Amino acid sequence: MRIKEYEPLAPLTTFGIGGVARWFAEAASEEEVVEATAWARERGLPLFVLGGGSNLLISSVGFNGLVLRVALRGITVAGAPHNAESSGQPAERIYQAAAGEPWDSLVERAVRENCAGIECLAGIPGTVGGTPVQNVGAYGQEVASVIERVRAFDLREPGFVEFTASECGFAYRRSRFNSADRGRFIVTRVDYRLTPGGAPTLRYGELERALSESRRDGSLPSLTEVAASVRRIRRAKGMLIVEGDPDCRSAGSFFKNPVIREELFQEIASRSSGAVPRFPAGPGAENAGRVKISAAWLIEQAGFQKGYRLGNAAISSRHALALVNIGPDGRGGATAAEILALAGQIVARVEARFGVRLEMEPEMVGF
Ligand code: EPU
């Protein structure tokens, strides 16, 4: 396995920002994960695991240790254990995907094979391995609801371990891998339980409206149609990676949608004209009496317009929740510090106006 030195990291991120990795390796197999991590441990070097780089902000300093890019590939499909076929339900299938597979090609394949469960997650950049870490979700689906098992390398007690979905501690944009056990595991494979011939998930207002406009007869759209519709919506918001589109030089949503007390929501609503976008806070006792409010809406109501610039950083011209590396000529060139300066201004103004503290979503490296 080849270990490189002073590898530029910016090109490996969707933001296109960041310094160099002092050491850099790519693991194409589990054996190489073991080898690379042992190499770093023997030298007492810190380790950072890179997937698709789509939810990442790397400082100009970069990373003074080993950056390990997870490049394991391969997808196998098998019948699910405890298949419900005999009970008249469609038989489920397990898609076992290596962590380095591009997420969107897995979605494409599942949809092509008419397997339901991830069709609303089309067009999301990044790799399979990142999906359980931040419990990727969009347009009415979350990977938590289809993940069967996650295989990972444990850095603390070196060896491979497997977790069932309930052992992953999933919540909104959260799992044990980015909270309690942050930095402890390297995901190498994720198994998803998908349903052949299953109905698409139609739970998100904007998606339902887009689909009903194109299907006036009221029949159920196919998985292919749903995925295509999600891609169109994402593209319109600059949330699809499109070559030459400056709005997608971002990390997707830069802030989480805050979950707040119902009373605070009512207070905000009473001071606003028009309906305030709200979503269910999610299951769990900690969410009782709480509601998820749109961060994009809060940002705009705090006085920031889409396209607002601060130095070389900007708010996306199509979605207030994405910060963009815009640069002097729209072709990039912002530093991480410039992105954080804009983020800081947004957080301060939203907090002053609404008493809600926005939390950043991307992972920060080298600060
Ligand atoms: N809105 C605004 N201004 C905007 C955009 C949206 O006020 O510029 C308001 C609108 O009222 C809209 C509401 O916010 O109805 C929600 O907007 P949207 O449907 O675009 O979703 P979001 O809450 O901003 C979340 C996820 C996205 C995901 C979409 C769709 C988070 C942090 N973000 O965004 O995920 O694609 O829902 O499900 O939960 C990501 O995490 O990187 C990401 C892109």
Side-chain angles (χ1 to χ4, degrees):
M1 148 175 252
R2 208 172 131 223
I3 309 249
K4 298 200 233 173
E5 290 188 67
Y6 303 108
E7 182 75 359
L9 293 172
L12 303 177
T13 71
T14 53
F15 245 139
I17 291 178
V20 300
R22 177 65 186 85
W23 306 99
F24 180 87
E26 269 187 337
S29 64
E30 289 194 339
E31 292 70 36
E32 289 187 343
V33 168
V34 175
E35 198 185 320
T37 54
W39 186 89
R41 197 176 325 108
E42 283 154 19
R43 287 161 182 79
L45 293 171
L47 179 75
F48 178 73
V49 178
L50 180 73
S54 58
N55 197 45
L56 205 57
L57 183 61
I58 302 179
S59 79
S60 314
V61 174
F63 191 72
N64 192 16
L66 175 68
V67 172
L68 179 62
R69 184 149 181 255
V70 173
L72 289 83
R73 301 295 294 265
I75 300 174
T76 56
V77 183
H82 322 298
N83 237 321
E85 202 163 18
S86 51
S87 65
Q89 303 278 33
E92 289 171 320
R93 272 193 220 153
I94 301 292
Y95 280 67
Q96 292 198 326
E101 280 292 326
W103 169 254
D104 200 31
S105 13
L106 177 68
V107 174
E108 234 172 84
R109 171 163 172 186
V111 164
R112 193 176 351 110
E113 293 172 356
N114 199 30
C115 281
I118 52 177
E119 62 282 357
C120 300
L121 303 176
I124 296 178
T127 52
V128 159
T131 62
V133 176
Q134 58 153 337
N135 184 15
V136 161
Y139 299 100
Q141 285 178 336
E142 266 185 358
V143 288
S145 62
V146 287
I147 284 179
E148 172 81 358
R149 193 172 297 278
V150 174
R151 182 171 164 86
F153 183 70
D154 184 350
L155 290 160
R156 198 190 296 166
E157 291 166 39
F160 286 92
V161 281
E162 296 194 3
F163 301 102
T164 62
S166 62
E167 289 167 341
C168 290
F170 289 127
Y172 168 59
R173 290 294 185 277
R174 219 170 93 133
S175 71
R176 69 188 294 166
F177 309 112
N178 68 3
S179 55
D181 285 330
R182 188 190 185 88
R184 174 168 174 184
F185 297 103
I186 301 176
V187 174
T188 56
R189 195 191 80 213
V190 186
D191 299 353
Y192 305 87
R193 182 186 279 261
L194 305 180
T195 312
T201 302
L202 297 174
R203 199 182 290 145
Y204 202 81
E206 190 179 6
L207 178 62
E208 284 179 290
R209 282 191 296 279
L211 285 161
S212 65
E213 272 162 30
S214 61
R215 300 181 67 85
R216 299 198 184 278
D217 61 353
S219 61
L220 215 55
S222 68
L223 300 176
T224 309
E225 284 169 298
V226 173
S229 184
V230 167
R231 285 205 178 85
R232 271 193 298 276
I233 295 173
R234 294 191 72 95
R235 191 182 177 116
K237 293 183 184 183
M239 295 279 187
L240 191 73
I241 304 287
V242 176
E243 192 61 35
D245 177 352
D247 276 328
C248 67
R249 210 176 302 104
S250 79
S253 300
F254 197 83
F255 300 102
K256 293 183 201 169
N257 285 330
V259 174
I260 60 174
R261 285 177 299 107
E262 179 74 39
E263 301 88 77
L264 179 56
F265 179 88
Q266 291 308 335
E267 191 194 311
I268 292 171
S270 69
R271 289 197 281 136
S272 318
S273 55
V276 182
R278 60 178 288 169
F279 307 93
E286 71 283 7
N287 286 329
R290 296 169 87 84
V291 51
K292 198 188 280 172
I293 186 169
S294 157
W297 183 89
L298 289 170
I299 292 168
E300 290 195 279
Q301 296 300 309
F304 293 98
Q305 295 192 345
K306 294 191 187 77
Y308 171 84
R309 292 183 65 138
L310 182 67
N312 289 315
I315 294 177
S316 160
S317 68
R318 276 126 77 201
H319 198 299
L321 203 44
L323 302 191
V324 177
N325 167 14
I326 195 83
D329 53 6
R331 282 184 290 180
T335 61
E338 286 179 296
I339 299 288
L340 289 183
L342 173 56
Q345 207 179 71
I346 293 171
V347 170
R349 220 186 281 173
V350 166
E351 188 164 27
R353 173 143 170 105
F354 296 107
V356 177
R357 190 161 178 85
L358 293 179
E359 248 181 79
M360 298 193 278
E361 204 210 294
E363 189 169 353
M364 305 286 159
V365 176
F367 290 95

